[in-house]
């Protein structure tokens, strides 16, 4: 699979994850609206934005930024789960982790491929 195809697939997977997570984020407690809810949404949106930048520029630092935002997203979702927010119950948390892991595996493959291309 070529790098452009992988980029397109990751782009779509992140977008699909946004569609999955947005309704859940709106169910966070109201007092989290401007903190955990916003931070989580922004981290996932940053992943999408950086993939778009990578697609346009082929600057590998964008892939590293996607990876950082991915890790941040995982930690924020874990926090919501550990705080026992009903929107991030075991089922939703497990599904979110599965989706993010899938993105992470593909992203890792892309980073390795780009590193070896030099």
């Amino acid at each position: 699979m070529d790098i452009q195809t992988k980029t397109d697939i990751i782009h779509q997977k992140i977008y699909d994850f946004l569609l999955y997570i947005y309704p859940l984020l709106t169910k966070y407690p109201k007092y989290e609206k401007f903190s955990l809810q916003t931070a989580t949404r922004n981290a996932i949106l940053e992943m999408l934005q950086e993939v778009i930048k990578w697609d346009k520029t082929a600057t590998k630092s964008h892939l590293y930024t996607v990876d950082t935002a991915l890790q941040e997203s995982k930690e924020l979702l874990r926090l919501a789960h550990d705080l026992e927010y009903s929107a991030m119950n075991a089922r939703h948390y497990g599904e979110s982790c599965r989706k993010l892991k899938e993105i992470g595996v593909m992203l890792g493959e892309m980073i390795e491929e780009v590193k070896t291309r030099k």
Side-chain angles (χ1 to χ4, degrees):
M1 186 178 331
D2 70 332
I3 198 86
Q4 183 59 53
T5 303
K6 287 181 181 179
T7 300
D8 293 342
I9 291 170
I10 284 180
H11 180 274
Q12 188 61 50
K13 286 186 179 296
I14 294 170
Y15 184 82
D16 291 343
F17 183 66
L18 275 167
L19 291 176
Y20 173 77
I21 205 72
Y22 252 74
L24 299 177
L25 292 175
T26 62
K27 295 177 183 174
Y28 277 24
K30 294 233 185 287
Y31 59 85
E32 289 292 5
K33 184 174 185 176
F34 297 108
S35 54
L36 189 57
Q37 181 188 44
T38 300
T40 305
R41 182 176 40 250
N42 288 344
I44 299 165
L45 285 171
E46 183 179 16
M47 288 170 38
L48 187 64
Q49 292 165 346
E50 292 297 323
V51 167
I52 292 168
K53 290 176 186 176
W54 154 254
D55 192 27
K56 297 296 180 190
T57 66
T59 305
K60 67 181 173 183
S61 64
H62 293 298
L63 293 179
Y64 292 114
T65 305
V66 175
D67 193 38
T68 302
L70 175 70
Q71 186 60 42
E72 184 181 344
S73 300
K74 288 178 181 178
E75 292 298 324
L76 292 167
L77 292 173
R78 178 180 172 206
L79 178 60
H81 175 70
D82 289 346
L83 291 171
E84 299 180 356
Y85 294 159
S86 61
M88 198 48 57
N89 60 31
R91 183 174 60 89
H92 293 303
Y93 179 64
E95 183 66 15
S96 297
C97 288
R98 186 191 64 74
K99 289 175 184 281
L100 289 176
K101 182 178 180 181
E102 192 175 354
I103 293 167
V105 167
M106 287 192 73
L107 180 62
E109 291 171 1
M110 279 180 63
I111 290 171
E112 287 304 313
E113 187 175 331
V114 169
K115 280 167 58 175
T116 58
R117 268 199 313 187
K118 290 187 180 181

